[in-house]
Amino acid sequence: MRLSWYLALVAWSANNRVGAFVPTSHSPAFFSSTRVVQNPSTRIGSTDTSSPSETTTETENKTKKLGLITFDLDDTLYPVAPVLADANRAFAKAMERFGYEGIEPDDIDETGKKIRDEMSKSDPDAAAILTHTEIRMLSIRQVLEKVLLDRMLIQTAEDWATDVLSLTKPVVESAKKWARNAVPPAVVQAVYNAWEMERYHAAERYLYPEVIEVFLKIKEDHPDAIIGAVTDGKANPLLMTFTIAPYFDFCMSWEDDQGARSKFFKELGSVEGNAELTWIYDAALDKYKEIFDSTEEMNVAAGHAPKDAEERIWIHVGDDLGYDVGGSAACGAKTVLADYFDEYEQTAKKRYDPDFLMPAWSNSPEVELQKRQDLNEKARARVTAKIDRISELPVAISEILDAQE
């Protein structure tokens, strides 16, 4: 039954798919002859255009091995804005199928912002630690309740031959209480499931065109490397079965450890707080060592020489200075900042730029955004390399490893 349900969803998604992501100008070439990988002050290897075959055997022997490479997902492997827009459309359609008409796709974002703002005033700590999943579940329930409430008030006004604005406060409050109890939890969960399923499908549709080739190149150049994902939400490459799932070994979500996540966001949401994002990267490093050790046991049993996980290099790739660069570097990673050309339509970084409108999907309160800006500034010095397009990543990896001799 579960399999047939999943296949039906896949078929539905295929029938409702829009075109795959294509950059607004031309798709960039897979490998550029000019290396634009750079650290904050200089470009790494910008004048070195030698091919791998020209590297000496002596240098190859000295070059460090890549042990672990981890990726942020949203705005690093695909643009998050159109992915969430498609998921929101699926949310509205799911509502309609359950009989809740008149809901717009943007309602879930607007309701989420309202919930976060109201909670920030009444209970700042609770607002700070709300997960993306919790906000969306609360938003879905509130939107459903509003549809039922509006229907009840209209029907009551018609029965009493008056208009809605003339209904007394006790009548309205009674209707609100009824609406809160009238929304079945199973419907809330089903609507959320539809949103989440479409999020995965949309992420595959909008995957940057070069991503698969990049992973193939990484696998070719570093066959022993373990590949993981670190995400602050529900994105999971292991569930992107039609595209990148085969290349990933694990995924760590911020929502996996609510205790550490709550502590971080309470500090981030406090003016006096000293937030430091390390727990999720420590968890990723522990997962890497776990996978490495289990693999080594099998290799040694097969007669191969043992390897040391500590002797290998860890690289993290992401678009966020504070979270991706600052957090992973504090745990020992070399970092690649994915600061792409405009054609890649990254929107997350625009939350900190006064010249841009806040992305529709963002519900971060002002104090959190200010703290995030502070984290970004502190992290700038921790950027190991910067890439303008995802296709530059294999070269950036090689240059980082070469620099560790």
Side-chain angles (χ1 to χ4, degrees):
M1 171 69 83
R2 187 172 295 176
L3 178 60
S4 61
W5 172 82
Y6 176 75
L7 292 175
L9 279 174
V10 171
W12 175 86
S13 177
N15 290 333
N16 288 274
R17 288 186 177 191
V18 297
F21 174 83
V22 178
T24 50
S25 63
H26 63 282
S27 296
F30 177 55
F31 289 111
S32 172
S33 58
T34 303
R35 298 187 181 182
V36 294
V37 181
Q38 61 183 32
N39 63 25
S41 58
T42 61
R43 294 179 181 271
I44 299 175
S46 59
T47 59
D48 178 14
T49 57
S50 60
S51 66
S53 62
E54 295 172 338
T55 306
T56 65
T57 303
E58 182 180 0
T59 301
E60 288 178 348
N61 291 336
K62 290 181 179 180
T63 300
K64 291 285 188 177
K65 296 282 188 179
L66 179 65
L68 170 66
I69 181 167
T70 50
F71 288 86
D72 170 56
L73 300 172
D74 294 347
D75 272 356
T76 297
L77 300 183
Y78 50 80
V80 68
V83 168
L84 295 181
D86 279 10
N88 288 350
R89 281 189 281 272
F91 142 83
K93 289 180 181 178
M95 293 271 202
E96 188 173 347
R97 287 198 298 274
F98 283 104
Y100 297 85
E101 296 90 358
I103 295 170
E104 297 297 326
D106 291 342
D107 287 350
I108 190 171
D109 288 334
E110 293 303 318
T111 303
K113 292 175 185 177
K114 181 181 176 183
I115 290 172
R116 190 80 179 263
D117 288 343
E118 290 177 350
M119 193 176 292
S120 294
K121 296 173 184 176
S122 61
D123 191 347
D125 285 347
I129 65 175
L130 275 176
T131 67
H132 294 302
T133 300
E134 289 169 338
I135 290 176
R136 288 198 175 90
M137 292 287 279
L138 289 171
S139 299
I140 289 169
R141 169 166 284 281
Q142 196 169 109
V143 170
L144 292 173
E145 289 176 4
K146 185 178 185 306
V147 171
L148 294 183
L149 173 62
D150 290 346
R151 287 180 186 171
M152 174 60 74
L153 293 178
I154 291 172
Q155 184 61 53
T156 302
E158 289 178 353
D159 291 344
W160 291 1
T162 187
D163 58 82
V164 171
L165 295 178
S166 298
L167 296 175
T168 62
K169 184 175 180 180
V171 171
V172 174
E173 291 301 317
S174 178
K176 287 181 179 179
K177 183 178 179 180
W178 170 83
R180 284 194 294 270
N181 295 324
V183 175
V187 172
V188 175
Q189 186 64 56
V191 171
Y192 175 78
N193 290 347
W195 183 93
E196 188 175 90
M197 182 66 72
E198 180 57 22
R199 191 196 200 286
Y200 293 129
H201 290 320
E204 295 195 279
R205 291 196 298 273
Y206 291 103
L207 199 70
Y208 292 134
E210 321 96 299
V211 165
I212 298 299
E213 293 178 271
V214 167
F215 278 107
L216 288 171
K217 183 62 175 172
I218 292 172
K219 286 288 190 181
E220 177 187 339
D221 292 346
H222 315 281
D224 296 331
I226 292 169
I227 301 178
V230 177
T231 175
D232 66 342
K234 295 298 289 184
N236 187 339
L238 298 176
L239 297 177
M240 296 171 65
T241 54
F242 299 108
T243 51
I244 59 176
Y247 304 104
F248 279 84
D249 298 295
F250 69 89
C251 176
M252 306 299 297
S253 170
W254 292 26
E255 297 188 11
D256 292 339
D257 186 346
Q258 289 299 333
R261 184 186 184 282
S262 298
K263 180 176 182 295
F264 171 76
F265 277 100
K266 281 181 180 179
E267 293 175 345
L268 188 65
S270 169
V271 176
E272 298 81 15
N274 184 27
E276 186 174 8
L277 177 62
T278 55
W279 94 93
I280 189 65
Y281 293 104
D282 284 334
L285 193 56
D286 289 341
K287 188 66 176 178
Y288 157 65
K289 291 176 180 178
E290 176 187 325
I291 296 174
F292 184 93
D293 290 345
S294 62
T295 303
E296 276 303 286
E297 287 180 10
M298 293 185 289
N299 289 339
V300 171
H304 299 290
K307 303 171 185 175
D308 188 353
E310 303 294 339
E311 292 298 318
R312 295 178 173 243
I313 301 299
W314 169 24
I315 295 175
H316 180 71
V317 186
D319 69 299
D320 191 287
L321 271 167
Y323 284 4
D324 290 313
V325 172
S328 63
C331 297
K334 304 299 178 183
T335 62
V336 176
L337 178 63
D339 189 13
Y340 301 148
F341 291 129
D342 289 345
E343 63 200 56
Y344 284 85
E345 300 179 16
Q346 291 175 304
T347 54
K349 60 185 178 183
K350 294 179 179 178
R351 287 176 291 175
Y352 318 112
D353 191 332
D355 294 332
F356 290 95
L357 291 174
M358 185 73 68
W361 49 264
S362 177
N363 54 43
S364 300
E366 189 63 34
V367 64
E368 180 182 317
L369 289 174
Q370 183 56 56
K371 295 287 285 188
R372 290 282 296 273
Q373 284 182 293
D374 295 341
L375 288 176
N376 289 350
E377 290 306 311
K378 292 177 182 177
R380 288 189 188 280
R382 290 180 159 180
V383 176
T384 308
K386 176 183 171 184
I387 56 176
D388 297 320
R389 48 170 66 97
I390 185 65
S391 58
E392 295 167 359
L393 181 58
V395 174
I397 294 170
S398 296
E399 293 182 342
I400 290 172
L401 297 178
D402 289 343
Q404 307 309 308
E405 296 176 16

